[in-house]
Amino acid sequence: MKKTSTRLADGRELIYYDLRDDTVRDAVDRRPLERTVTTSEIRHDMLLGDAVAVASHRQGRTYHPPADECPLCPSRDGRLSEIPDSSYDVVVFENRFPSLAGDSGRCEVVCFTSDHDASFADLTEEQAGLVLEAWTDRTAELSHLPSVQQVFCFENRGAEIGVTLGHPHGQIYAYPFTTPRTALMLRSLAQHKQASGGENLFDLVVERETAGERVVLETEHWVAFVPYAAHWPYEVHLYPRRRVPDLLGLDEAARAEFPRVYLELLRRFDRIFGGGDGGGGTVGESRTPYIAAWHQAPFGPWDEFEGVGRDDFALHLELFTIRRTAGKLKFLAGSESGMNVFINDVPPEAAARRLREVAST
């Protein structure tokens, strides 16, 4: 992998990640952009103990542009985009309309490929491995920012999810606090460790799920399963077999095997409802909308989670879709949105069976 860092016309950082070490990246952003002005603010909810990012400047962000005006495609044929070069493998840049900025953290965009009509599932294993390297590198770099406590790499795919740019891409949020969902995990982790005399709760969950009927696929270094209490109609959790706190902790064997495992999961998701053509593309039903979310250990502080530290956390990826059946979505209504009590229409055991049935051959 070759990494090349540069600056866009308004001062934002852009980084190319290339498969070839001899690739030269010297294209200049020729757009007449003014410096980006953001108004991001973190407000804490005294009753719930969580946080809300208020970012009014995002009202003006790019919204469903036509394909020939996509800002994530390379700059070609006289049309200038967020990526100055005429091609790229993987590129990461600071979001022009960030939810978090300055002392409130940082938001980045990760473009998986220059092919506008592709999807992550269409990538080769080599390309998917390069994305993993980019996620890992950004986690390391962002962790050194004074305001950052947790790094979150994720992908939203599909208009049903709320994606406003059709180009295959993901995002990275660097939060100035430990996120509420992670804090819940850490409190459960600490309570179980104390009650059990030192047992790790993540290890227990993986052990039980691996021995059960909800395993979707497993390899030497990874295991994927539908969790016992899945919130979403089709939800898969992917864990490395060796517990590590973050992407930086993965060994070379797990890194080498990840692309094959992850691409297989994404392609199975595209087949759940009858879509898919045996690869990442689809026929008939549109590609399955999903969210793919990496859960990594915070970088601190750990004072409120007595008895546990970074090494107790287990890196894992959660992949889920809001589609419950062909043509029908799972909406978060009164119970889910009002009380955070999910109601799942698809039994996790049935979801696991379906995801095993659609395995590629």
Side-chain angles (χ1 to χ4, degrees):
M1 179 194 78
K2 181 180 180 181
K3 175 183 175 182
T4 306
S5 180
T6 184
R7 292 281 172 179
L8 296 173
D10 56 6
R12 289 175 294 132
E13 185 178 17
L14 180 143
I15 306 162
Y16 294 99
Y17 293 89
D18 287 294
L19 292 168
R20 291 174 56 94
D21 290 336
D22 59 353
T23 303
V24 176
R25 298 295 185 185
D26 55 7
V28 176
D29 184 4
R30 294 183 284 110
R31 296 173 297 169
L33 298 180
E34 297 181 356
R35 301 286 295 190
T36 300
V37 178
T38 61
T39 56
S40 179
E41 175 189 0
I42 301 296
R43 297 188 179 184
H44 294 274
D45 188 310
M46 295 175 63
L47 290 176
L48 298 178
D50 60 11
V52 175
V54 180
S56 59
H57 62 276
R58 285 176 53 79
Q59 286 282 34
R61 67 188 185 274
T62 308
Y63 188 79
H64 292 298
D68 60 357
E69 296 180 15
C70 175
L72 306 185
C73 287
S75 294
R76 292 174 180 164
D77 304 321
R79 191 185 71 83
L80 304 179
S81 73
E82 289 280 67
I83 296 90
D85 217 324
S86 59
S87 67
Y88 62 84
D89 291 335
V90 173
V91 70
V92 177
F93 61 87
E94 289 184 74
N95 197 322
R96 190 177 180 185
F97 304 98
S99 302
L100 310 167
D103 292 339
S104 297
R106 175 160 158 152
C107 292
E108 298 182 340
V109 177
V110 184
C111 297
F112 304 138
T113 171
S114 59
D115 184 352
H116 179 85
D117 297 319
S119 175
F120 200 118
D122 295 317
L123 301 182
T124 65
E125 291 186 18
E126 186 179 34
Q127 290 173 311
L130 184 61
V131 176
L132 176 62
E133 291 303 313
W135 284 331
T136 305
D137 180 71
R138 296 316 300 154
T139 296
E141 292 294 326
L142 293 171
S143 71
H144 295 308
L145 297 181
S147 64
V148 172
Q149 291 187 22
Q150 187 173 1
V151 178
F152 175 46
C153 305
F154 65 100
E155 180 192 1
N156 299 327
R157 188 180 80 165
E160 300 94 329
I161 297 294
V163 175
T164 57
L165 297 176
H167 196 103
H169 73 287
Q171 299 181 65
I172 301 175
Y173 277 20
Y175 296 100
F177 51 81
T178 296
T179 59
R181 187 175 175 85
T182 304
L184 283 173
M185 293 183 196
L186 292 174
R187 283 193 282 272
S188 295
L189 189 66
Q191 292 168 5
H192 183 81
K193 186 174 184 178
Q194 182 178 17
S196 66
E199 184 180 46
N200 185 281
L201 184 58
F202 282 112
D203 291 349
L204 176 63
V205 167
V206 173
E207 179 184 351
R208 288 183 176 178
E209 293 288 5
T210 303
E213 61 180 313
R214 290 179 297 276
V215 172
V216 175
L217 69 86
E218 52 186 332
T219 63
E220 182 178 357
H221 301 287
W222 295 88
V223 60
F225 54 84
V226 177
Y228 171 75
H231 288 56
W232 299 95
Y234 291 90
E235 175 181 340
V236 174
H237 293 190
L238 175 64
Y239 280 77
R241 289 189 182 274
R242 183 177 68 87
R243 172 164 46 89
V244 295
D246 53 33
L247 290 166
L248 300 167
L250 292 174
D251 59 27
E252 288 306 311
R255 290 182 182 281
E257 196 176 66
F258 171 78
R260 175 170 62 86
V261 174
Y262 188 48
L263 289 172
E264 172 63 18
L265 282 178
L266 294 181
R267 290 165 184 169
R268 291 191 192 190
F269 259 59
D270 274 343
R271 299 188 187 98
I272 295 174
F273 306 107
D277 60 0
T282 61
V283 292
E285 182 84 10
S286 63
R287 286 172 168 145
T288 300
Y290 65 72
I291 292 175
W294 279 110
H295 290 264
Q296 304 192 82
F299 289 96
W302 287 79
D303 298 347
E304 64 176 297
F305 309 112
E306 186 175 354
V308 298
R310 294 198 82 245
D311 289 341
D312 291 301
F313 194 86
L315 167 76
H316 62 284
L317 182 140
E318 297 184 8
L319 174 68
F320 61 90
T321 179
I322 63 171
R323 185 177 287 167
R324 55 190 175 88
T325 187
K328 296 180 181 180
L329 300 180
K330 165 64 178 177
F331 292 102
L332 301 189
S335 185
E336 292 89 354
S337 295
M339 285 296 171
N340 199 30
V341 177
F342 276 66
I343 301 170
N344 193 349
D345 302 319
V346 180
E349 293 74 21
R353 283 196 302 271
R354 178 60 181 158
L355 285 162
R356 290 194 298 269
E357 289 171 356
V358 296
S360 62
T361 57

